[in-house]
Amino acid sequence: MSKINVDGFFDIDLSVQLLPTDLEALFNAGGWSTLGKYRSFAQLTDKNGVKDPYRKTFAETYLFESQGSDNQHRYFGFTTGYGGKVTPFGEEPVISKDTFLGELKDVTPNGATKLNTVFEVKVKPIVPSSVIVYREGGEMVKPTETPYIVDGEKGTITFEESQSGVLRATYALTDNAPDVVKRLWFFTFEGFIPTKLILRSENPNQAELLDEAERVFRFKILPGNQRIRENSYKFYETVDGTDPIDPADYTVNHDEGTVTFNEGTEPLALYADYEIEAIKDSNGSYGDIEVLPFNPSVPTELMGAAYNAVRFIYPSVPTAVSFIPQEEMGLGWGRDSQVYFWGNITKDRIVSYFRLDPAPDPESTYFAPLYIGRLSTIGKTPRLNNVLIGGARSEDEIGYSSGLKIGRNKVDYGVNTSNGNSSVMVQRTVGGAMYQKHYLAFITHDADVDPSNESRFNPSVYSGKYHISPMYIVHPADGYVGRLDEVYAIHPKNIAQLDELEVKETSNSEHVGTGDGFTKEFHLFHKPVIDGDIEIRLVSDTGCTTLTQAEYVEFDPSTPPEEGKFTVDGSNKKLILGAAPIDGIEVIMDYDYEQTYRYTLADTPRTPFLLANMTPYAPIGLGFLKENL
């Protein structure tokens, strides 16, 4: 995404239909690489219990990772769900050639005999009989004159002869096509293994006899893009597992998903506990992974499908982000509608807001917040310094309960488990506790002095300036833990959505760290003005050493400063000293900073920024970095 400026700010329009792939591109451009992506799916059954291949439910999941400027790895993912609907014949949703979704993409394989013959639609699967192809300018391509074949599942249109120019199409979607995105669930985790557990208790009749003479069994549920994981299986002749089969009696073909038994050892029935591992393709996708039936409209079932398709190490309770207050969008929004998305992204964190195009009904579109990533800290830092905050309607929130499980994963991390909607979620505390509730803190007056919410707090009559404060995160046991990175708390008084504030300040006596004899790099809260007044004090019980502008050297990542000198890595807001301060030395810095911040006030009901038990002033708006001046 070229629209991310040098300081990480972005303000872009995304497609509500293609939002997952658009977000992936933005996150990649901002320093978060794709760890993997996959679709959990379940085939629906008819009244006789027979699986219908044309009716499925889906949980589409994307996973990301980043190594921050503090060298800590952070992970997060998001999931959206769709499917399960039955549309009457002739009422299928239609993509028009005149929208950006109508343009066809040339996907002719390299080395094909004829170039420019295979084209793909942007949304699939499609109804083959509905496809009408056009050339740029509106001329219809008649299949009687220019023959082509439509593959509905792949969404491809293959011509007999090479085509020139831009091609467009009008086409109808099947019930298995992705729906427009109305809400997302974000989550974090400590590790990811692309394998899926298959339990005999959940999947009886797992294998079918392929060749009785050859004694070969094939697993029915093994998709083509997966394989049996080595040494992950145990076979039984009974579903209760009381009669295990000796491993010496069989051989497993892991790629084909078959089991061959020695002559005379064939079981009367075959049940198994085992793992299948997904194979990632060149696009980072693990493909479609079948799971047990689920309803994508029920948050716990949707996320259970996402969590069951692969194995996560200590996943969080998912955090919901909702774009609309109702379950479905009205007809005023189409598949080519836009989602406005703005914020600031670095390899350390993402702070952002979503808003669906408000033109059809501003009251039915939320300013939905999202914060993922690092807290700026001094001294001790959370064991896993990764924060997750979202904003959602009440129906989308996954609340904590004792013994809560999402899929097979138990996500009960104690009575104060956070979900990122009703409180701030920190992945691990300073002491190592996982996913505990944290709270917002900032400099403010008492909300009780403004019972009517009509006071004129901003700008101040004393200074004529707006009151803003760093947004701190606190915990009752740990006290102040850190502050949201490049984020200020701004009272929603005499200020409008997306207004911008200019901040020109001096950070006086900023404590940036304590020496340990090894560390030379220390994080700052802001990017300093390099040609301003900079002073660094190394303070101990016996004295103070001062470094000033005269000891500054220009930052060069390949050449560290000499002893007695210092430099500043502005893009990562790091002070780099030429020599590591000895143990116990306090590193204190004065510097100027000049920045512009954009203001936005969330209005989703379930977010810590609006809940009176989570913030000292409700509601509270955020200002996040737009640019360093």
Side-chain angles (χ1 to χ4, degrees):
M1 287 278 180
S2 60
K3 294 183 180 179
I4 300 177
N5 75 10
V6 67
D7 295 312
F9 176 80
F10 61 89
D11 185 352
I12 56 178
D13 303 333
L14 303 180
S15 162
V16 71
Q17 176 70 68
L18 306 177
L19 187 61
T21 55
D22 286 351
L23 286 178
E24 180 188 16
L26 177 71
F27 293 156
N28 291 167
W32 296 78
S33 60
T34 299
L35 180 63
K37 49 191 173 183
Y38 59 90
R39 284 198 313 179
S40 310
F41 78 93
Q43 289 187 339
L44 301 182
T45 58
D46 60 21
K47 61 182 179 181
N48 298 317
V50 178
K51 288 184 177 181
D52 183 351
Y54 300 104
R55 293 185 59 227
K56 300 177 182 179
T57 54
F58 297 91
E60 188 171 357
T61 301
Y62 290 71
L63 308 176
F64 301 90
E65 64 176 335
S66 173
Q67 183 172 359
S69 61
D70 56 357
N71 294 320
Q72 184 175 123
H73 274 93
R74 295 179 175 86
Y75 304 96
F76 79 89
F78 70 77
T79 297
T80 184
Y82 55 89
K85 299 178 181 178
V86 180
T87 305
F89 179 74
E91 297 182 14
E92 301 90 351
V94 176
I95 300 294
S96 168
K97 67 176 176 61
D98 295 318
T99 69
F100 73 93
L101 296 173
E103 184 172 342
L104 301 182
K105 179 182 179 182
D106 187 352
V107 293
T108 307
N110 292 331
T113 304
K114 295 181 180 180
L115 300 178
N116 308 318
T117 55
V118 185
F119 296 82
E120 186 179 53
V121 298
K122 291 185 181 292
V123 189
K124 56 187 177 181
I126 60 178
V127 180
S129 61
S130 70
V131 174
I132 306 174
V133 180
Y134 299 86
R135 301 194 188 281
E136 193 75 0
E139 177 191 356
M140 182 186 299
V141 178
K142 298 178 181 180
T144 54
E145 300 174 359
T146 308
Y148 58 81
I149 297 174
V150 177
D151 185 322
E153 282 299 306
K154 295 181 179 179
T156 57
I157 303 170
T158 303
F159 291 85
E160 290 185 1
E161 300 296 334
S162 299
Q163 302 299 305
S164 60
V166 177
L167 296 181
R168 311 184 72 86
T170 294
Y171 53 95
L173 304 176
T174 72
D175 290 331
N176 289 336
D179 201 356
V180 290
V181 178
K182 302 174 284 290
R183 50 195 61 91
L184 297 166
W185 282 267
F186 287 81
F187 59 95
T188 185
F189 49 93
E190 292 190 15
F192 160 73
I193 306 171
T195 65
K196 172 190 168 188
L197 270 176
I198 305 296
L199 302 180
R200 63 187 185 280
S201 59
E202 296 178 350
N203 298 274
N205 303 318
Q206 292 171 319
E208 61 182 348
L209 186 61
L210 288 182
D211 188 324
E212 188 171 357
E214 295 295 331
R215 302 170 299 282
V216 178
F217 289 76
R218 182 187 298 280
F219 292 98
K220 289 182 178 179
I221 57 175
L222 184 71
N225 64 331
Q226 298 172 20
R227 66 191 301 273
I228 303 294
R229 190 179 189 190
E230 283 86 348
N231 303 316
S232 70
Y233 35 78
K234 293 183 179 179
F235 296 104
Y236 307 88
E237 290 193 64
T238 56
V239 73
D240 61 5
T242 58
D243 195 3
I245 299 173
D246 190 336
D249 292 340
Y250 59 82
T251 303
V252 176
N253 185 316
H254 302 93
D255 295 319
E256 295 182 2
T258 58
V259 187
T260 303
F261 286 88
N262 301 333
E263 187 173 359
T265 63
E266 303 90 340
L268 297 176
L270 184 62
Y271 303 93
D273 292 329
Y274 64 101
E275 286 183 85
I276 56 175
E277 57 184 357
I279 309 302
K280 185 159 60 173
D281 65 19
S282 58
N283 295 318
S285 175
Y286 290 101
D288 289 351
I289 302 173
E290 187 171 7
V291 297
L292 296 176
F294 66 96
N295 184 345
S297 298
V298 178
T300 50
E301 291 192 26
L302 172 71
M303 294 309 303
Y307 281 10
N308 273 351
V310 294
R311 298 187 69 181
F312 290 104
I313 300 172
Y314 296 126
S316 69
V317 177
T319 300
V321 174
S322 306
F323 306 151
I324 56 175
Q326 60 274 4
E327 177 66 23
E328 298 292 342
M329 293 181 184
L331 290 178
W333 289 281
R335 290 178 177 264
D336 59 336
S337 290
Q338 293 179 327
V339 173
Y340 303 119
F341 189 45
W342 63 98
N344 192 288
I345 181 171
T346 68
K347 63 182 180 180
D348 287 328
R349 61 93 182 96
I350 302 164
V351 53
S352 59
Y353 284 85
F354 296 89
R355 196 185 191 200
L356 182 65
D357 176 16
D361 181 8
E363 297 299 320
S364 292
T365 57
Y366 283 138
F367 286 87
L370 175 68
Y371 187 101
I372 298 172
R374 175 178 172 269
L375 289 175
S376 293
T377 60
I378 56 174
K380 289 186 177 180
T381 189
R383 188 78 58 84
L384 279 176
N385 183 353
N386 195 20
V387 172
L388 185 51
I389 304 171
R393 64 183 195 135
S394 300
E395 295 85 347
D396 297 333
E397 180 182 27
I398 299 178
Y400 165 79
S401 61
S402 177
L404 178 64
K405 293 184 73 175
I406 306 292
R408 291 195 191 93
N409 291 275
K410 189 174 182 179
V411 291
D412 176 4
Y413 298 106
V415 295
N416 287 309
T417 300
S418 176
N419 65 2
N421 288 120
S422 292
S423 57
V424 176
M425 179 194 297
V426 176
Q427 190 161 1
R428 279 188 183 258
T429 64
V430 172
M434 292 185 284
Y435 302 121
Q436 298 299 293
K437 286 182 181 178
H438 286 66
Y439 302 79
L440 303 176
F442 44 87
I443 302 169
T444 184
H445 63 284
D446 193 322
D448 290 340
V449 306
D450 184 17
S452 63
N453 201 34
E454 295 179 356
S455 66
R456 184 184 180 276
F457 187 73
N458 279 327
S460 168
V461 296
Y462 174 72
S463 64
K465 297 181 179 180
Y466 279 76
H467 172 89
I468 62 177
S469 164
M471 179 73 81
Y472 295 97
I473 302 300
V474 299
H475 186 273
D478 295 335
Y480 283 78
V481 177
R483 53 197 276 185
L484 298 184
D485 184 36
E486 301 280 26
V487 171
Y488 282 104
I490 301 176
H491 287 84
K493 302 291 184 178
N494 295 296
I495 191 169
Q497 296 281 32
L498 311 188
D499 275 356
E500 296 179 359
L501 300 174
E502 190 174 279
V503 179
K504 293 185 177 181
E505 293 289 341
T506 298
S507 183
N508 288 310
S509 299
E510 182 175 311
H511 183 285
V512 299
T514 303
D516 58 9
F518 303 97
T519 302
K520 297 181 181 181
E521 298 183 356
F522 300 90
H523 278 85
L524 310 176
F525 288 137
H526 305 281
K527 178 181 179 179
V529 177
I530 298 302
D531 57 359
D533 292 329
I534 294 179
E535 181 177 282
I536 300 164
R537 298 186 295 279
L538 308 178
V539 182
S540 67
D541 293 337
T542 58
C544 172
T545 299
T546 301
L547 304 176
T548 64
Q549 194 75 33
E551 284 74 46
Y552 172 79
V553 295
E554 187 174 352
F555 173 68
D556 182 348
S558 63
T559 306
E562 300 175 354
E563 184 173 355
K565 302 289 185 178
F566 73 93
T567 189
V568 173
D569 176 0
S571 61
N572 291 309
K573 296 181 298 182
K574 286 198 293 190
L575 166 68
I576 304 173
L577 299 176
I582 62 174
D583 189 38
I585 293 289
E586 298 293 322
V587 183
I588 298 172
M589 187 169 176
D590 296 341
Y591 61 89
D592 298 330
Y593 61 95
E594 299 180 0
Q595 300 172 312
T596 299
Y597 283 76
R598 175 174 283 191
Y599 164 83
T600 308
L601 176 67
D603 59 359
T604 48
R606 304 307 301 174
T607 182
F609 303 124
L610 268 69
L611 300 177
N613 64 333
M614 286 293 134
T615 176
Y617 191 98
I620 191 66
L622 298 188
F624 56 81
L625 178 66
K626 181 181 180 183
E627 61 181 335
N628 288 284
L629 302 176

